[in-house]
């Protein structure tokens, strides 16, 4: 698994392991497992201590659909993983904040761990944050674990995270603040230091069961189960 992960240089000389298909962004998404437990199994098998899972499902739609069809929701499954801290992302625009507020209301109604969640508001361009966005961020601070503002970074707009070691200073500082907010949420929920996470059973180490012996005919007059 480590051999399959791409190495990406990060800030301050760090190295990130990135599981990617190396395709351009305009290519269609791969057919990947949707069960969050599958990704937890992958992370545990790889031995990574911290994993960032980038999901794209709309949380409010997922919650409403799950309740309507009376099936387990994907958002609830992600939240139920050991030591999982959900991070809700939205743009600092009117529609972006409105969608975020709807998602927060749906999560609250469904009983998802809102106090464990971290909200990230990302600026899509230069300029001041609209007053409506500031007001929404202030209101959300009392409902979630933390609200982090990510400034606009033209390098990310042009290159994404392909050259993460060249991020702007404000972007790197905000990234560190986001990591601190996620860790603080985890520590409030499960303690500091965090207890060891459960590790899925290694199938290669599982005991091999001997083949069943063929049934022998029972003597006449003896009852068998």
């Amino acid at each position: 698994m480590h051999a399959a992960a791409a190495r990406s240089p990060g800030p301050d000389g760090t190295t990130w392991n990135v599981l990617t298909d190396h395709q351009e962004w305009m290519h269609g998404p791969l057919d990947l497992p949707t069960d969050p437990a599958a990704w937890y199994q992958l992370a545990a098998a790889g031995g990574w201590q911290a994993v960032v899972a980038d999901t794209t499902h709309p949380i409010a739609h997922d919650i409403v659909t799950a309740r309507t069809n009376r099936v387990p929701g994907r958002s609830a499954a992600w939240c139920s993983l050991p030591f999982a801290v959900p991070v809700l992302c939205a743009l600092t625009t009117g529609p972006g904040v409105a969608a975020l507020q709807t998602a927060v209301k749906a999560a609250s109604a469904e009983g998802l761990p809102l106090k464990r969640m971290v909200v990230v508001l990302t600026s899509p361009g230069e300029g001041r944050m609209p007053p409506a966005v500031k007001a929404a961020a202030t209101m959300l601070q009392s409902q979630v674990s933390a609200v982090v503002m990510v400034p606009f970074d033209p390098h990310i707009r042009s290159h994404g995270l392909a050259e993460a070691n060249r991020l702007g200073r404000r972007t790197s500082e905000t990234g560190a603040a986001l990591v601190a907010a996620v860790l603080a949420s985890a520590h409030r929920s499960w303690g500091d230091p965090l207890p060891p996470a459960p590790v899925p059973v290694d199938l290669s180490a599982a005991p091999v069961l001997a083949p069943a012996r063929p049934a022998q005919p029972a003597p006449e007059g003896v009852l068998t189960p």
Side-chain angles (χ1 to χ4, degrees):
M1 292 179 185
H2 282 268
R7 302 297 192 272
S8 177
D12 302 326
T14 59
T15 301
W16 301 346
N17 291 339
V18 183
L19 294 176
T20 175
D21 57 0
H22 295 283
Q23 292 187 131
E24 296 293 337
W25 65 269
M26 71 281 295
H27 285 76
L30 297 177
D31 185 15
L32 299 174
T34 58
D35 187 356
W39 296 100
Y40 178 76
Q41 175 100 16
L42 178 67
W48 289 290
Q49 290 184 316
V51 175
V52 178
D54 185 11
T55 65
T56 57
H57 72 278
I59 181 172
H61 177 75
D62 170 67
I63 293 174
V64 173
T65 301
R67 170 166 288 198
T68 302
N69 297 329
R70 297 182 180 181
V71 295
R74 195 182 307 176
S75 302
W78 277 110
C79 292
S80 66
L81 292 180
F83 312 131
V85 176
V87 179
L88 306 185
C89 303
L91 292 177
T92 55
T93 61
V97 171
L100 174 63
Q101 291 174 319
T102 301
V104 168
K105 291 179 181 178
S108 177
E110 192 65 12
L112 297 186
L114 208 59
K115 285 294 184 181
R116 199 198 315 159
M117 295 183 181
V118 175
V119 168
V120 173
L121 295 174
T122 304
S123 177
E126 299 284 1
R128 294 184 177 182
M129 189 178 303
V133 175
K134 289 185 178 180
T138 301
M139 293 179 61
L140 286 171
Q141 286 177 348
S142 61
Q143 303 178 53
V144 298
S145 179
V147 177
V148 179
M149 303 289 188
V150 178
F152 174 72
D153 191 328
H155 182 78
I156 293 180
R157 174 64 63 85
S158 302
H159 305 283
L161 291 177
E163 299 176 348
N165 57 331
R166 296 182 58 187
L167 296 177
R169 179 184 57 83
R170 292 177 58 206
T171 304
S172 298
E173 293 174 352
T174 304
L178 175 57
V179 172
V182 170
L183 282 176
S185 176
H187 289 155
R188 281 193 297 267
S189 301
W190 298 287
D192 184 7
L194 294 172
V199 178
V201 176
D202 183 3
L203 297 181
S204 64
V208 179
L209 299 179
R213 299 177 62 184
Q216 301 295 325
E220 185 177 353
V222 177
L223 297 179
T224 59

